[in-house]
Amino acid sequence: MQNERMRYRANPNTATQEAEGEVFIVTPDNRFHNLRDPVASFLWNRLETESLTLDELVEEVVGEFEVEADLARRDVAEFLQVGCDRDIFLVDAVG
């Protein structure tokens, strides 16, 4: 479930390595994840440095990649949900 008050951030308890545009992540439960897609790597790098809302992330993806906002919103929302389910991202509810 997502709303405009939710801020996403990379789980600080992960181990990560970036090589040749791919991000390799090990979550606290020792599961291995590989972000091969350039957009996924971009989102990881953004969320590793600061917490951002879905709207902020969509705006950045649209500005960085050739994609329409509606498609970006759908894909970013799905990526965040899967990432939260897998303990890659954490969510902070604001106000």
Side-chain angles (χ1 to χ4, degrees), residues 3 6 10 16 19-20 34 40 43 55 69-70 79 83 89:
N3 67 46
M6 297 171 83
T16 62
E20 298 182 20
N34 184 358
L43 290 169
D55 288 342
D70 290 342
F79 176 75
F89 302 118

Side-chain angles (χ1 to χ4, degrees), residues 43-56:
L43 290 169
W44 168 262
N45 286 320
R46 292 298 296 123
L47 293 171
E48 196 172 34
T49 60
E50 65 182 306
S51 64
L52 296 163
T53 65
L54 173 61
D55 288 342
E56 291 168 332

Side-chain angles (χ1 to χ4, degrees), residues 2 7-14 23 25 27-28 33 35 39-48 50 52 57 76-92:
Q2 297 165 334
R7 299 189 74 79
Y8 299 87
R9 60 187 169 96
N11 184 340
N13 297 316
T14 58
V23 178
I25 302 168
T27 50
H33 307 275
L35 305 180
V39 177
S41 295
F42 174 82
L43 290 169
W44 168 262
N45 286 320
R46 292 298 296 123
L47 293 171
E48 196 172 34
E50 65 182 306
L52 296 163
L57 289 166
V76 171
E78 180 180 344
F79 176 75
L80 292 171
Q81 184 61 56
V82 170
C84 287
D85 292 347
R86 294 180 179 174
D87 208 22
I88 295 170
F89 302 118
L90 302 176
V91 179
D92 299 317

